[in-house]
Amino acid sequence: MGLTHIPIMTFPKSLEIISLQNNKLQEIPEILAELKNLKSLNLSYNNINTLPVFLSKMDPLNGGSLINLSLRGNPIDLKDKEKLYSLLPSVNIVF
């Protein structure tokens, strides 16, 4: 089955790791960019095909704390992958 979206909820601000792999998510919710302590985000094997600009807020160079982002197994095209590297230059990204 799997999640098609993240339910509206408040995440603890101290949250450091989120694993939402093997779902049916189609987009990355903006609420994740508000988690200033988030270091690892696993969104592997979903249906995400677009990457929002707000992700740049998650890069340590812009005040975020994200170190690892896994998007393995998502239908993201090459152009968007290249864009993501420019949005998150200091984040380890796995496709």
Side-chain angles (χ1 to χ4, degrees):
M1 216 146 164
L3 295 173
T4 56
H5 67 283
I6 295 178
I8 296 173
M9 60 185 282
T10 303
F11 291 99
K13 298 291 182 189
S14 60
L15 197 60
E16 294 186 5
I17 299 171
I18 295 178
S19 181
L20 293 167
Q21 66 200 37
N22 295 314
N23 282 290
K24 296 178 182 176
L25 299 174
Q26 295 181 340
E27 59 185 30
I28 301 171
E30 191 164 0
I31 192 166
L32 297 180
E34 297 173 17
L35 301 174
K36 299 299 180 192
N37 293 313
L38 188 62
K39 293 181 181 7
S40 181
L41 178 58
N42 186 345
L43 296 169
S44 297
Y45 304 103
N46 278 283
N47 292 322
I48 297 168
N49 60 13
T50 58
L51 302 168
V53 175
F54 71 77
L55 285 175
S56 65
K57 296 179 192 176
M58 301 175 84
D59 192 283
L61 296 175
N62 294 324
S65 61
L66 194 64
I67 297 170
N68 296 302
L69 173 62
S70 180
L71 291 164
R72 186 178 289 130
N74 282 286
I76 300 168
D77 67 35
L78 181 59
K79 181 180 166 187
D80 279 336
K81 288 178 182 179
E82 291 171 355
K83 175 182 159 187
L84 188 59
Y85 284 120
S86 67
L87 289 174
L88 299 170
S90 59
V91 175
N92 177 38
I93 304 169
V94 178
F95 288 106

